[in-house]
Amino acid sequence: SGFGPMQFDRSETSFETLFVVVSLFLILLIGATPWWVDLYQTGALFQSRRALFSNIVSTSLNLVMVFLLIYLSTQRTQRQQSRTLELQRLSMTDHLTEIYNSRFFHHRLEKEVERANRQKEIFSLLFLDIDGFKRYNDSYGHAAGDSILKEAGQIILRMIREGVDCGARYGGDEFSVILIDTDLEAAMEIGERIRYAFHQHRNGMISLSMGVAVFKRGDTPQRLLKRADDAMYRAKRKGGNRIASESGWITFRYDKTA
């Protein structure tokens, strides 16, 4: 999809190479310090076995200290990088469902619209809503409602391509899915798999309504999202537990008897 923090890889690699070269030079310089001192003071690297032994010990201690400092610095850097990555993950993840959050979804949708307009490519958008969620939540409690939301998120993740598509909790009991290089028919098929898996998982007690919209040249994120949202509400008005496309296409394969 072209999305991700990969644009600075080349400069980062160059910096890492320079860092390694400079570090090796400093290690050699520090390790050779006792020998340079002797050479400067006496005109020879060593003048006796005792001086040789002393230089070897000094060099070894210097190198041990240098490698210890490098190790401690590396460990500290790795911990900082791990914390940074974890903070980045948390900033784009919904804490309940453990899929992407609305903030990340909007950012990703904007990037995909820009890419599709520039490269004349296609992608589809699913917009999902859990049927009767408020009633279920009121009847069985918030813990049961949270369990439903988690299940929906995990089912979405299983049905889409990891590292390609993007599934997110849009807010409340609404979810959204960006399907890369996917036309309307394929998007309807993926949506049906999500709908069916969720319906079967709860033995028909609770279901999903879903709208599908396909990117059109010149689209904005807002227009595409509105078409998917409108299609989802058409599925709701038809009774729920089904998928509707932006063009109004609802076939028997996607109705509530499936």
Side-chain angles (χ1 to χ4, degrees):
S1 65
F3 178 83
M6 303 300 292
Q7 53 186 323
F8 300 115
D9 277 0
R10 186 173 297 177
S11 60
E12 287 177 358
T13 302
S14 300
F15 177 79
E16 288 172 1
T17 303
L18 178 62
F19 178 77
V20 169
V21 171
V22 172
S23 297
L24 289 173
F25 174 76
L26 289 175
I27 289 170
L28 291 173
L29 185 64
I30 293 170
T33 297
W35 307 90
W36 294 123
V37 171
D38 270 6
L39 182 64
Y40 177 76
Q41 291 177 344
T42 65
L45 292 177
F46 62 91
Q47 290 185 321
S48 64
R49 289 185 178 181
R50 183 176 180 179
L52 173 62
F53 179 74
S54 177
N55 285 351
I56 291 173
V57 170
S58 297
T59 298
S60 300
L61 289 174
N62 285 346
L63 291 177
V64 167
M65 291 300 295
V66 168
F67 284 120
L68 179 61
L69 288 173
I70 290 174
Y71 172 77
L72 293 175
S73 177
T74 301
Q75 291 297 306
R76 182 171 180 270
T77 300
Q78 288 177 345
R79 286 195 298 270
Q80 288 177 335
Q81 289 175 342
S82 296
R83 283 195 293 268
T84 300
L85 289 172
E86 180 63 13
L87 288 173
Q88 289 177 344
R89 187 189 70 80
L90 291 173
S91 72
M92 64 179 66
T93 304
D94 177 67
H95 74 280
L96 178 63
T97 60
E98 298 183 348
I99 64 175
Y100 290 125
N101 58 23
S102 180
R103 177 186 176 188
F104 181 84
F105 164 75
H106 283 290
H107 180 68
R108 177 71 184 270
L109 181 61
E110 184 178 338
K111 293 293 184 184
E112 292 303 335
V113 167
E114 289 176 2
R115 181 186 64 85
N117 272 315
R118 185 176 62 252
Q119 300 179 6
K120 300 181 181 179
E121 294 187 3
I122 190 173
F123 72 94
S124 294
L125 178 63
L126 305 182
F127 200 75
L128 303 76
D129 183 88
I130 300 175
D131 298 323
F133 179 76
K134 186 179 184 305
R135 184 172 62 252
Y136 184 93
N137 211 33
D138 291 342
S139 300
Y140 297 97
H142 291 292
D146 287 350
S147 178
I148 290 289
L149 294 173
K150 290 177 185 177
E151 288 173 14
Q154 293 308 303
I155 287 170
I156 288 170
L157 282 184
R158 289 202 305 271
M159 299 299 170
I160 64 177
R161 296 164 294 180
E162 183 179 0
V164 178
D165 303 321
C166 173
R169 184 184 179 193
Y170 189 81
D173 61 333
E174 294 177 328
F175 294 82
S176 50
V177 182
I178 298 171
L179 299 170
I180 305 302
D181 295 327
T182 306
D183 61 15
L184 177 61
E185 184 174 359
M188 295 281 281
E189 191 66 42
I190 294 167
E192 167 61 10
R193 291 204 297 267
I194 295 171
R195 183 207 67 81
Y196 183 77
F198 186 74
H199 192 245
Q200 292 295 106
H201 195 264
R202 282 285 164 170
N203 297 318
M205 288 180 60
I206 196 162
S207 59
L208 292 173
S209 290
M210 197 177 310
V212 185
V214 180
F215 170 82
K216 298 175 181 176
R217 191 77 188 279
D219 257 341
T220 64
Q222 294 76 19
R223 284 205 296 263
L224 179 60
L225 186 57
K226 187 179 186 308
R227 294 204 307 275
D229 187 42
D230 289 345
M232 185 271 290
Y233 277 105
R234 281 199 298 275
K236 285 273 192 191
R237 289 194 295 270
K238 290 284 186 179
N241 193 24
R242 67 189 71 207
I243 309 171
S245 74
E246 58 183 320
S247 59
W249 177 27
I250 306 177
T251 73
F252 72 95
R253 294 176 61 200
Y254 306 101
D255 69 21
K256 66 191 302 178
T257 63

